[in-house]
């Protein structure tokens, strides 16, 4: 079987499994005597429900060589819950597909299970970022229709890429005559940064749209320095789970605005 056809069939299988999971969730909610319309549910979640699920990791790393990773989750509440794991694909992570197993799990009070993530299609030559999502609700008949949700980062890392402590050194930055700042990542690793960036030497700050810069991509921040006089930007590097590490100053080169139809990945 040709590689493109195999990828298409694998992605089709993943899509069918996800569609089947959504239909199952909808049917369970429709058949449950405790479920009403969304509008009839309270707008705030009880504290016990939001704290019912313990995810025993702050991030997941999936190596392309093993093609599998897992995370342990535990129901730490006093009531049974139904858990629905899923994967959220970020725009820069279109080259790979991940399957989640199981698609649904019922956990009694104090019970734990493992959620598996399997790389089923695509070959990544750069790091790819996803979000592992967890939605849950109480499964007892006396419970109402409220749900809770949490997510953690899931990093797909090519096995040939070694982990770096300082991938932010692959960043470069430029300043256009209109005061736009362009931050580029020419490396193969994801770079996680604080969304608050400082202009130097003025120390004025601006906010970028997301907390990471994907490999071979750029972020454009429009009109953050209208006078176009800044000499550098100060970036706070973060770990994948959001913990700040240290700051790095990146000199600003002069540049023209990037072509919005061109991507670097």
């Amino acid at each position: 079987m040709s590689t493109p056809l195999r990828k298409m069939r694998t992605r089709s299988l993943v899509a069918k499994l996800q569609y089947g999971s959504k239909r199952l969730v909808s049917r369970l909610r429709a058949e449950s005597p405790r479920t009403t319309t969304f509008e009839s549910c309270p707008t705030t979640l009880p504290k016990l429900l939001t704290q019912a699920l313990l995810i025993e990791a702050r991030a997941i790393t999936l190596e392309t060589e093993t093609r599998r990773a897992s995370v342990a989750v535990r129901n730490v509440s006093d009531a049974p819950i139904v858990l629905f794991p899923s994967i959220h694909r970020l725009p820069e992570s279109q080259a790979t597909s991940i399957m989640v197993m199981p698609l649904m799990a019922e956990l009694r009070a104090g019970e734990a299970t493992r959620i598996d993530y399997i790389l089923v299609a695509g070959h990544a030559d750069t790091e790819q970022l996803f979000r592992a999502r967890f939605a849950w609700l109480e499964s007892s008949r006396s419970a109402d229709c409220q749900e809770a949700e949490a997510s953690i980062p899931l990093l797909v890392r090519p096995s040939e890429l070694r982990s770096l402590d300082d991938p932010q050194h692959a960043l470069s930055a430029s300043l256009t005559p209109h005061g736009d700042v362009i931050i580029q990542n020419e490396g193969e690793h994801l770079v996680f940064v604080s969304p608050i960036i400082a202009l130097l030497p003025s120390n004025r700050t601006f906010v970028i749209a997301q907390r990471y810069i994907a490999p071979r991509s750029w972020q454009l921040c429009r009109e953050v320095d209208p006078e176009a006089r800044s000499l550098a930007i100060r970036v706070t590097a973060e770990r994948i789970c959001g913990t700040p590490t240290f700051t790095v100053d990146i000199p600003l080169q002069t540049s023209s605005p990037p072509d919005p139809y061109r991507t670097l990945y």
Side-chain angles (χ1 to χ4, degrees):
M1 183 186 301
S2 66
T3 300
L5 183 57
R6 185 183 297 111
K7 289 182 180 179
M8 290 178 61
R9 291 189 175 180
T10 306
R11 291 180 179 177
S12 176
L13 174 61
V14 173
K16 288 179 180 178
L17 288 171
Q18 293 173 341
Y19 176 71
S21 173
K22 291 178 181 178
R23 291 199 60 182
L24 178 59
V25 173
S26 299
R27 190 180 69 186
L28 287 174
R29 291 172 181 165
E31 293 176 355
S32 172
R34 69 179 184 274
T35 303
T36 57
T37 62
F38 180 81
E39 288 76 9
S40 67
C41 298
T43 56
T44 59
L45 295 175
K47 186 176 182 181
L48 289 179
L49 181 60
T50 59
Q51 298 178 353
L53 188 71
L54 173 64
I55 306 169
E56 297 184 354
R58 298 185 67 182
I60 304 168
T61 300
L62 195 163
E63 299 281 351
T64 56
E65 184 176 5
T66 58
R67 305 184 73 84
R68 180 185 291 264
S70 63
V71 64
V73 295
R74 182 182 299 275
N75 178 6
V76 293
S77 72
D78 296 328
I81 63 172
V82 179
L83 174 66
F84 304 99
S86 62
I87 279 288
H88 174 64
R89 181 194 301 273
L90 298 177
E92 300 88 356
S93 302
Q94 300 296 323
T96 55
S97 293
I98 297 174
M99 182 169 62
V100 186
M101 295 296 291
L103 298 175
M104 181 186 72
E106 185 164 7
L107 302 176
R108 298 185 296 272
E111 187 177 7
T113 190
R114 298 196 74 85
I115 307 299
D116 293 319
Y117 301 89
I118 305 166
L119 185 65
V120 294
H123 172 74
D125 58 356
T126 64
E127 289 183 337
Q128 308 278 315
L129 185 63
F130 297 78
R131 297 291 298 185
R133 283 184 171 173
F134 307 87
W136 64 92
L137 49 84
E138 287 189 18
S139 59
S140 60
R141 287 183 173 269
S142 60
D144 54 32
C145 61
Q146 294 175 335
E147 296 181 21
E149 183 177 314
S151 68
I152 60 175
L154 189 153
L155 177 68
V156 175
R157 176 180 293 148
S159 301
E160 59 270 18
L161 281 184
R162 64 183 181 90
S163 178
L164 292 181
D165 293 329
D166 53 356
Q168 68 279 353
H169 289 303
L171 295 181
S172 62
S174 56
L175 180 65
T176 72
H178 303 292
D180 304 334
V181 170
I182 305 162
I183 307 174
Q184 296 189 2
N185 176 10
E186 297 285 359
E188 287 131 353
H189 294 79
L190 281 147
V191 180
F192 297 92
V193 297
S194 166
I196 301 175
I197 308 293
L199 294 165
L200 299 179
S202 66
N203 281 321
R204 290 190 295 109
T205 60
F206 63 94
V207 179
I208 59 176
Q210 56 194 25
R211 303 183 78 106
Y212 67 92
I213 302 175
R216 303 172 189 167
S217 71
W218 46 262
Q219 284 200 39
L220 171 63
C221 308
R222 292 193 178 277
E223 298 180 355
V224 297
D225 186 12
E227 297 180 355
R229 293 182 179 177
S230 297
L231 303 178
I233 59 172
R234 178 163 293 165
V235 175
T236 301
E238 293 184 344
R239 295 189 174 91
I240 186 173
C241 54
T243 306
T245 54
F246 53 87
T247 61
V248 58
D249 294 346
I250 305 174
L252 283 169
Q253 309 296 325
T254 58
S255 174
S256 299
D259 183 351
Y261 299 102
R262 173 178 173 263
T263 58
L264 299 179
Y265 52 85

